[in-house]
Amino acid sequence: MTSSSAFSASAASSTPSAAAALAPYGWDDAWADEFAPYTAEGLVAGRVVRVDRGQCDVVTADGPLRADTAFVTPHDPMRVVCTGDWVAVEPSGNPRYVRTYLPRRTAFVRSTSSKRSEGQILAANVDHAVVAVSLAVELDLGRIERFLALAWESGAQPVVVLTKADLVPEPATLGHLVQDVETTAPGVPVLTVSSATGEGVDVLAAVLAGGTSVLLGQSGAGKSTLANALLGEDVMDVRATRDVDGKGRHTTTTRNLLALPGGGVLIDTPGLRGVGLWDAETGVGQVFAEIEELAADCRFTDCAHVSEPGCAVLAALDSGALHERRLDSYRKLLRENQRIVAKTDARLRADIRRDWKRKGAEGRAAMEAKRGRF
């Protein structure tokens, strides 16, 4: 392909027909403006629909193509090409290369399982984070809170979907389960869906029609079955879950971006066994909004809500307005997040050490005073 023909191919990304071709995948005027500088370089705009071993599948105005990601920083898990990215790709060559990705609007990030405390980006440019929770097993409210903290931190709007609703035939029982999750997820829509009967699928499809959604949850939560129901065909492989604990093997092994027939796109992800927080203090605060609101009325601005006088959080706990499980979960996630951030922030590590020393000194002083009184 000559340089002039390459320019023509890339310029197509800004034409009305090309924009229409990419619109089902989320292309809009703002993305076109972001991409404008790369047009003159003879590059093609596209969205990453799958990443696999240093290469990715990209949908472009001229159709899908396979590209190598070696030019994008390979050693930083936060800067690698990710499913959902909008990228600038070479229109020809063997192999083709992704030259860069456009600035991300949102990013769903968790901590890796390594001891290096790195962040791992799971999906980019997501509008809705759909947390799939199976009703085939007992609800794990703490895990739901963890997913929601990451979802809020990503910048996306969380949605909790209770799958396999057909396994809870009693309306009253189902209503109680929904209420438990709604209490756990303030400000988050909670929907019940049965992929087997189709109940609730149309409601969910309508919610997701306006943008990009990422489907999250443990193995066995019914994500792939739900994805197939939303797509209207069996695109994703489905495996049976164990009757003992409702868990399943990883049906999906990569993150795949798929256009939904009713509008919007869906990123299906592998089941997540570990959901580590990654600098998600804001997300934790949104999940536990009622505790944050109570904390604003504490006597001390640095109240730890443990034994301080004038603590509005402890007062709510004593009165029954706040459940102890919620407070325990809030403390746990904040501690975990602080540990993760401290590993990558030397100043915060020093602050934490000073805080520990201060509290230790106060504790020793209190003990000495107590001994002196007896």
Side-chain angles (χ1 to χ4, degrees):
M1 181 180 289
T2 65
S3 58
S4 62
S5 61
F7 180 82
S8 298
S10 63
S13 63
S14 61
T15 65
S17 60
L22 291 176
Y25 292 91
W27 186 259
D28 56 28
D29 290 343
W31 286 122
D33 290 341
E34 289 279 3
F35 188 79
Y38 302 107
T39 299
E41 298 180 24
L43 301 177
V44 173
R47 193 164 197 192
V48 177
V49 299
R50 175 188 170 101
V51 178
D52 183 23
R53 298 178 182 178
Q55 292 189 313
C56 62
D57 295 328
V58 182
V59 60
T60 71
D62 297 323
L65 57 82
R66 185 81 166 164
D68 196 293
T69 64
F71 275 98
V72 184
T73 307
H75 302 300
D76 184 349
M78 296 288 286
R79 298 179 63 189
V80 298
V81 172
C82 177
T83 302
D85 273 327
W86 284 100
V87 294
V89 189
E90 295 175 345
S92 62
N94 187 19
R96 295 183 176 94
Y97 286 96
V98 172
R99 288 293 177 176
T100 189
Y101 59 80
L102 301 185
R104 292 161 175 157
R105 294 178 181 175
T106 62
F108 190 91
V109 182
R110 68 166 177 173
S111 65
T112 64
S113 57
S114 72
K115 295 182 179 180
R116 292 177 293 181
S117 300
E118 296 174 329
Q120 178 190 22
I121 181 167
L122 299 181
N125 303 311
V126 172
D127 301 294
H128 296 99
V130 181
V131 180
V133 181
S134 173
L135 290 175
V137 293
E138 185 177 353
L139 289 176
D140 186 341
L141 298 179
R143 180 168 289 271
I144 294 173
E145 289 163 342
R146 181 178 292 271
F147 270 113
L148 291 174
L150 291 175
W152 279 122
E153 192 68 33
S154 75
Q157 166 66 51
V159 180
V160 176
V161 176
L162 303 179
T163 65
K164 308 181 183 182
D166 55 292
L167 299 182
V168 187
E170 290 294 329
T173 302
L174 184 60
H176 286 307
L177 292 172
V178 171
Q179 187 175 26
D180 286 344
V181 177
E182 287 176 338
T183 302
T184 300
V188 177
V190 179
L191 307 177
T192 57
V193 170
S194 169
S195 299
T197 66
E199 178 188 354
V201 174
D202 55 341
V203 176
L204 178 60
V207 171
L208 306 185
T212 298
S213 304
V214 62
L215 191 53
L216 308 162
Q218 287 183 285
S219 298
K223 298 188 306 300
S224 294
T225 305
L226 180 58
N228 286 336
L230 290 167
L231 291 162
E233 55 182 319
D234 291 339
V235 174
M236 308 305 297
D237 183 28
V238 176
R239 296 177 185 171
T241 57
R242 299 190 298 242
D243 291 334
V244 174
D245 54 12
K247 295 181 180 179
R249 292 176 293 169
H250 291 311
T251 301
T252 305
T253 56
T254 59
R255 287 169 278 281
N256 303 278
L257 185 147
L258 306 158
L260 297 173
V265 293
L266 181 70
I267 300 175
D268 191 20
T269 65
L272 301 176
R273 290 192 181 94
V275 194
L277 299 185
W278 175 256
D279 197 4
E281 183 177 356
T282 300
V284 173
Q286 287 181 274
V287 174
F288 299 93
E290 80 279 25
I291 298 178
E292 297 271 301
E293 291 175 6
L294 287 167
D297 293 328
C298 290
R299 180 184 302 178
F300 303 109
T301 56
D302 61 347
C303 185
H305 321 306
V306 176
S307 59
E308 296 84 351
C311 176
V313 173
L314 294 180
L317 189 67
D318 291 340
S319 69
L322 176 66
H323 291 289
E324 187 172 1
R325 190 206 66 79
R326 285 282 284 175
L327 182 57
D328 288 343
S329 184
Y330 174 69
R331 289 168 172 163
K332 178 181 178 181
L333 293 184
L334 280 182
R335 286 196 302 269
E336 177 184 329
N337 189 71
Q338 189 178 52
R339 285 196 300 271
I340 288 293
V341 174
K343 288 180 181 179
T344 57
D345 189 326
R347 179 178 297 178
L348 181 59
R349 286 199 300 271
D351 288 344
I352 291 173
R353 282 196 294 270
R354 282 194 295 270
D355 190 50
W356 286 344
K357 289 180 180 179
R358 178 181 62 80
K359 289 181 177 178
E362 290 174 351
R364 288 192 294 272
M367 184 61 69
E368 290 297 328
K370 183 177 180 180
R371 289 173 178 169
R373 290 196 300 268
F374 292 95

